[in-house]
Amino acid sequence: FGCFEYRAVQMILIPAHNEEGALGGVLEGLALHAPSEKIIVVDSFCTDRTVAVAESFGVTVIKASERGYWNALSCGYDYALRADVEYLIQLDADGQHPPSAVPRLLHQIIANPTLDWVIGSRAGKGTYTPFDRRLVQGVFSRWLEQNTQHRFGDISSGLWGLNRRALEVLSRYPHQTADVLIRLYGLQEGLRFKEI
C-alpha cells in the first residue's frame, strides 16, 4: 500500500466485484448521507467498469490481493489499520445496503464505547430474500443463538460499523466466509455486538 497521505478517524469501506451498474448509486447516496467521510473501494478483480465508476467519484480505489468477498474486506481492514482508522463502516457495492443507514451506524459505534461491532439488519425491512436462503439463514441463526446465547436477525448482513478493536480482531480471522462463522469468531474473541 505504500505511504499513507492521511490519517482518517472514520472510513467507509466498499468491497466490489463487477458492480458498475450499482456502485454509482451507492456512491451518490454516500455523497448525500456521509459527504465528509473517506471512502475506499476495494477492487476484487473487477473485469467491468467498476473501478472507472469509483474513480469518477474521486474515491480511493485499492486492489484486493486475492479474489473473493472476504479477501476484499481483509485488504480494506489492513488499509484502514495502517491509516490509523478508529471507526469503519462497510457496505456492499450492489446497493442492497442503503447509504442512508451509514450515519446511524456511525453514531451507534462512536457513541457507545461498550460496543465493538454494530450490524445493520435487513430483517423485517422488506428486502427480498429467496425462501431457500431464508430457511438456511434461520437454521444458522438458531444454531448461533443456542451455542452463544446471542440472537442475530440477519446473519448475512455485510452492513457493519466497526471500531478499531474489532478491526484488529477481524483482521486475524482465519476463514473465507463473512456470515455465521465470523460472528462466532467475534464472540469468541470477546467482541461486543449490537444489531440494529
Side-chain angles (χ1 to χ4, degrees), residues 70 74 77 167-186:
W70 180 250
S74 296
Y77 295 164
L167 281 171
E168 290 168 349
V169 167
L170 296 182
S171 71
R172 300 188 301 264
Y173 177 63
H175 305 293
Q176 293 298 315
T177 175
D179 291 343
V180 179
L181 287 180
I182 195 166
R183 286 157 173 78
L184 183 59
Y185 177 80

Short mmCIF file of all heavy atoms in Angstrom, two decimals, residues 70 74 77 167-186:
data_model
loop_
_atom_site.label_atom_id
_atom_site.label_comp_id
_atom_site.label_asym_id
_atom_site.label_seq_id
_atom_site.Cartn_x
_atom_site.Cartn_y
_atom_site.Cartn_z
N TRP A 70 -14.36 -12.01 1.22
CA TRP A 70 -13.62 -11.87 2.45
C TRP A 70 -12.22 -11.31 2.21
O TRP A 70 -11.71 -10.50 2.98
CB TRP A 70 -13.54 -13.18 3.24
CG TRP A 70 -12.77 -12.94 4.49
CD1 TRP A 70 -11.54 -13.39 4.80
CD2 TRP A 70 -13.17 -12.08 5.57
NE1 TRP A 70 -11.13 -12.89 6.01
CE2 TRP A 70 -12.12 -12.07 6.50
CE3 TRP A 70 -14.30 -11.31 5.83
CZ2 TRP A 70 -12.17 -11.33 7.68
CZ3 TRP A 70 -14.35 -10.58 7.00
CH2 TRP A 70 -13.30 -10.60 7.92
N SER A 74 -10.64 -8.08 3.97
CA SER A 74 -9.36 -8.16 4.68
C SER A 74 -8.38 -7.10 4.19
O SER A 74 -7.68 -6.47 4.97
CB SER A 74 -8.73 -9.54 4.51
OG SER A 74 -9.54 -10.52 5.10
N TYR A 77 -9.50 -3.85 5.62
CA TYR A 77 -9.19 -3.73 7.05
C TYR A 77 -7.71 -3.40 7.25
O TYR A 77 -7.36 -2.57 8.08
CB TYR A 77 -9.52 -5.02 7.79
CG TYR A 77 -10.98 -5.39 7.82
CD1 TYR A 77 -11.37 -6.68 8.16
CD2 TYR A 77 -11.98 -4.48 7.50
CE1 TYR A 77 -12.71 -7.04 8.20
CE2 TYR A 77 -13.32 -4.83 7.53
CZ TYR A 77 -13.67 -6.12 7.88
OH TYR A 77 -15.00 -6.48 7.92
N LEU A 167 -11.66 -4.12 14.20
CA LEU A 167 -10.82 -4.22 13.00
C LEU A 167 -9.59 -5.09 13.28
O LEU A 167 -9.22 -5.93 12.45
CB LEU A 167 -10.35 -2.83 12.56
CG LEU A 167 -11.35 -1.98 11.78
CD1 LEU A 167 -10.81 -0.57 11.62
CD2 LEU A 167 -11.63 -2.60 10.43
N GLU A 168 -8.97 -4.88 14.42
CA GLU A 168 -7.78 -5.66 14.75
C GLU A 168 -8.11 -7.14 14.91
O GLU A 168 -7.38 -8.01 14.43
CB GLU A 168 -7.14 -5.11 16.03
CG GLU A 168 -6.49 -3.76 15.81
CD GLU A 168 -6.09 -3.06 17.09
OE1 GLU A 168 -6.50 -3.52 18.19
OE2 GLU A 168 -5.38 -2.04 17.01
N VAL A 169 -9.24 -7.44 15.56
CA VAL A 169 -9.65 -8.84 15.74
C VAL A 169 -10.01 -9.47 14.41
O VAL A 169 -9.55 -10.58 14.06
CB VAL A 169 -10.83 -8.94 16.73
CG1 VAL A 169 -11.47 -10.33 16.70
CG2 VAL A 169 -10.36 -8.60 18.15
N LEU A 170 -10.84 -8.79 13.61
CA LEU A 170 -11.30 -9.38 12.35
C LEU A 170 -10.18 -9.50 11.33
O LEU A 170 -10.24 -10.36 10.45
CB LEU A 170 -12.46 -8.57 11.78
CG LEU A 170 -13.73 -8.58 12.64
CD1 LEU A 170 -14.84 -7.80 11.96
CD2 LEU A 170 -14.19 -10.00 12.95
N SER A 171 -9.15 -8.68 11.45
CA SER A 171 -8.03 -8.80 10.51
C SER A 171 -7.28 -10.12 10.71
O SER A 171 -6.53 -10.55 9.84
CB SER A 171 -7.07 -7.62 10.66
OG SER A 171 -6.37 -7.70 11.89
N ARG A 172 -7.51 -10.79 11.85
CA ARG A 172 -6.87 -12.09 12.12
C ARG A 172 -7.80 -13.27 11.83
O ARG A 172 -7.42 -14.42 12.05
CB ARG A 172 -6.43 -12.15 13.59
CG ARG A 172 -5.44 -11.08 13.99
CD ARG A 172 -4.90 -11.30 15.40
NE ARG A 172 -5.92 -11.32 16.43
CZ ARG A 172 -6.29 -10.28 17.18
NH1 ARG A 172 -5.72 -9.11 16.97
NH2 ARG A 172 -7.20 -10.40 18.11
N TYR A 173 -9.00 -12.99 11.36
CA TYR A 173 -9.99 -14.05 11.10
C TYR A 173 -9.43 -15.03 10.07
O TYR A 173 -9.02 -14.63 8.98
CB TYR A 173 -11.27 -13.40 10.61
CG TYR A 173 -12.38 -14.34 10.23
CD1 TYR A 173 -12.98 -15.17 11.17
CD2 TYR A 173 -12.86 -14.37 8.92
CE1 TYR A 173 -14.02 -16.01 10.81
CE2 TYR A 173 -13.91 -15.20 8.56
CZ TYR A 173 -14.48 -16.02 9.50
OH TYR A 173 -15.52 -16.85 9.15
N PRO A 174 -9.41 -16.35 10.37
CA PRO A 174 -8.71 -17.30 9.51
C PRO A 174 -9.55 -17.95 8.40
O PRO A 174 -9.02 -18.78 7.67
CB PRO A 174 -8.26 -18.38 10.52
CG PRO A 174 -9.35 -18.38 11.55
CD PRO A 174 -9.81 -16.94 11.66
N HIS A 175 -10.82 -17.62 8.27
CA HIS A 175 -11.67 -18.29 7.29
C HIS A 175 -11.99 -17.39 6.11
O HIS A 175 -11.55 -16.25 6.05
CB HIS A 175 -12.96 -18.78 7.96
CG HIS A 175 -12.71 -19.66 9.15
ND1 HIS A 175 -12.15 -20.91 9.05
CD2 HIS A 175 -12.92 -19.45 10.48
CE1 HIS A 175 -12.02 -21.45 10.26
NE2 HIS A 175 -12.48 -20.58 11.14
N GLN A 176 -12.82 -17.87 5.20
CA GLN A 176 -13.16 -17.13 3.99
C GLN A 176 -14.64 -16.73 3.91
O GLN A 176 -15.08 -16.24 2.89
CB GLN A 176 -12.81 -17.96 2.75
CG GLN A 176 -11.32 -18.16 2.57
CD GLN A 176 -10.59 -16.85 2.36
OE1 GLN A 176 -11.02 -16.00 1.60
NE2 GLN A 176 -9.48 -16.67 3.05
N THR A 177 -15.40 -16.94 4.96
CA THR A 177 -16.81 -16.59 4.93
C THR A 177 -17.08 -15.44 5.89
O THR A 177 -16.46 -15.35 6.95
CB THR A 177 -17.71 -17.79 5.31
OG1 THR A 177 -19.06 -17.35 5.37
CG2 THR A 177 -17.33 -18.38 6.65
N ALA A 178 -18.00 -14.57 5.52
CA ALA A 178 -18.31 -13.41 6.37
C ALA A 178 -19.70 -13.53 6.98
O ALA A 178 -20.31 -12.53 7.30
CB ALA A 178 -18.17 -12.13 5.56
N ASP A 179 -20.22 -14.74 7.12
CA ASP A 179 -21.56 -14.92 7.66
C ASP A 179 -21.51 -15.43 9.10
O ASP A 179 -21.04 -14.75 9.98
CB ASP A 179 -22.38 -15.86 6.76
CG ASP A 179 -22.72 -15.24 5.42
OD1 ASP A 179 -22.62 -14.02 5.29
OD2 ASP A 179 -23.07 -15.99 4.51
N VAL A 180 -21.99 -16.65 9.33
CA VAL A 180 -22.12 -17.18 10.68
C VAL A 180 -20.78 -17.32 11.38
O VAL A 180 -20.62 -16.91 12.54
CB VAL A 180 -22.82 -18.56 10.66
CG1 VAL A 180 -22.93 -19.13 12.05
CG2 VAL A 180 -24.19 -18.44 10.03
N LEU A 181 -19.79 -17.89 10.71
CA LEU A 181 -18.51 -18.17 11.36
C LEU A 181 -17.82 -16.91 11.85
O LEU A 181 -17.18 -16.92 12.90
CB LEU A 181 -17.58 -18.95 10.43
CG LEU A 181 -17.93 -20.41 10.20
CD1 LEU A 181 -16.93 -21.06 9.26
CD2 LEU A 181 -17.98 -21.18 11.52
N ILE A 182 -17.94 -15.83 11.10
CA ILE A 182 -17.25 -14.62 11.54
C ILE A 182 -17.91 -14.04 12.78
O ILE A 182 -17.25 -13.50 13.67
CB ILE A 182 -17.13 -13.57 10.43
CG1 ILE A 182 -16.09 -12.53 10.83
CG2 ILE A 182 -18.47 -12.91 10.12
CD1 ILE A 182 -15.65 -11.64 9.71
N ARG A 183 -19.22 -14.18 12.91
CA ARG A 183 -19.90 -13.72 14.11
C ARG A 183 -19.48 -14.58 15.32
O ARG A 183 -19.22 -14.06 16.39
CB ARG A 183 -21.41 -13.73 13.91
CG ARG A 183 -21.89 -12.58 13.01
CD ARG A 183 -23.22 -12.90 12.36
NE ARG A 183 -23.79 -11.78 11.64
CZ ARG A 183 -23.40 -11.37 10.43
NH1 ARG A 183 -22.40 -11.97 9.82
NH2 ARG A 183 -24.00 -10.34 9.84
N LEU A 184 -19.40 -15.88 15.08
CA LEU A 184 -18.96 -16.78 16.14
C LEU A 184 -17.52 -16.46 16.55
O LEU A 184 -17.20 -16.39 17.74
CB LEU A 184 -19.07 -18.24 15.65
CG LEU A 184 -18.71 -19.32 16.65
CD1 LEU A 184 -19.60 -19.25 17.89
CD2 LEU A 184 -18.83 -20.70 15.99
N TYR A 185 -16.67 -16.24 15.59
CA TYR A 185 -15.28 -15.87 15.86
C TYR A 185 -15.22 -14.57 16.68
O TYR A 185 -14.49 -14.48 17.67
CB TYR A 185 -14.53 -15.70 14.55
CG TYR A 185 -13.10 -15.25 14.70
CD1 TYR A 185 -12.10 -16.15 15.03
CD2 TYR A 185 -12.76 -13.91 14.49
CE1 TYR A 185 -10.77 -15.73 15.16
CE2 TYR A 185 -11.44 -13.49 14.63
CZ TYR A 185 -10.46 -14.40 14.96
OH TYR A 185 -9.16 -13.98 15.09
N GLY A 186 -16.00 -13.58 16.27
CA GLY A 186 -16.01 -12.31 17.00
C GLY A 186 -16.45 -12.48 18.44
O GLY A 186 -15.86 -11.91 19.36
#
